[in-house]
Each structure stands twice: as C-alpha cells, then as structure tokens.
Amino acid sequence: QVQLVESGGGVVQAGSSLRLSCAASARTLSNYVMGWFRQAPGKEREFVAAITWTGGRTYLPSSVKGRFIISRDNAKNTVYLQMNSLKPDDTAVYYCAAGDRVWNTANPTNYNYWGQGTQVTVSS
C-alpha cells in the first residue's frame, strides 16, 4: 500500500549537515505516522524521529533532539530529516518507515512499511 524511497545520504565530516528525503507513494498518508530509524553494524535498529502526517506532531529522542529536525511536505508526499552537527555515532543506514497503527513511535515493530535505506557516514 505504501512504497518508500530514501535519498540524501552520503559521507560527511563531523559537524556538517545532511538532509534526507523519503518519497512516499500511497493513495493517502492521512492516517500515518512517518518515522526515521537507523541501524549501524552490530547494533539494534534505533529510533531517530517521527511525525504524524496530518497534524505534523513530531517526536525525537534525546540523542538527536536539538540537532535533527523532521518535517513533511504534504503536497509532495515527502518526509525530510534535516541532520545538523553530525557526529561519528550518527553513522548508520537510515530507514524511512510508515505505519497506520503506531502506538509507540519509537518502536520499529509498530511500522508496517519500510524503505530500502540510505547510508550516512560521518567521519571524525
């Protein structure tokens, strides 16, 4: 029902910024929560940010709050993750996710659609 394609990843130095995009193909996203997760080698999938499509309410963990900003463009069916002041610990594959039965935005099992991911590498 929902197809997600991430883009915008790359290799950057610590302290720099990147803007990730997630283009969604769906009939409607009005009932969805859109999320960003990341996974580094040998680590569990980690919640990064989420936003409700209709209301635009955002959720971010303390690890990225103040550095990352999640937003969406309803007309373009696209969600963005602006990442500032990047750190080496931010290195991971970043995945866009969508769910229409999200009770806990930080739990990846609450999302039923996932993109293929985009690699973000931050060097020191």
Side-chain angles (χ1 to χ4, degrees):
Q1 297 182 48
V2 180
Q3 294 182 348
L4 306 171
V5 180
E6 304 96 333
S7 62
V11 180
V12 298
Q13 291 188 318
S16 60
S17 300
L18 277 176
R19 184 201 192 202
L20 305 184
S21 298
C22 174
S25 297
R27 181 178 67 258
T28 179
L29 294 171
S30 62
N31 298 132
Y32 282 82
V33 170
M34 305 296 294
W36 285 99
F37 290 80
R38 65 189 182 188
Q39 188 162 23
K43 295 184 178 180
E44 295 294 319
R45 190 162 39 187
E46 178 187 18
F47 172 67
V48 177
I51 186 168
T52 61
W53 195 258
T54 298
R57 184 169 182 173
T58 61
Y59 305 83
L60 298 95
S62 59
S63 60
V64 304
K65 196 175 184 65
R67 296 191 298 126
F68 292 7
I69 301 170
I70 186 170
S71 62
R72 87 274 194 247
D73 186 328
N74 297 58
K76 296 181 179 179
N77 270 198
T78 300
V79 62
Y80 305 96
L81 182 67
Q82 177 66 47
M83 305 186 294
N84 301 313
S85 301
L86 284 164
K87 306 174 181 179
D89 284 349
D90 294 321
T91 296
V93 175
Y94 283 69
Y95 297 93
C96 179
D100 57 359
R101 296 291 188 275
V102 177
W103 302 102
N104 178 358
T105 58
N107 190 336
T109 65
N110 285 186
Y111 297 80
N112 39 184
Y113 302 102
W114 294 83
Q116 294 300 302
T118 184
Q119 176 71 47
V120 172
T121 301
V122 184
S123 61
S124 59

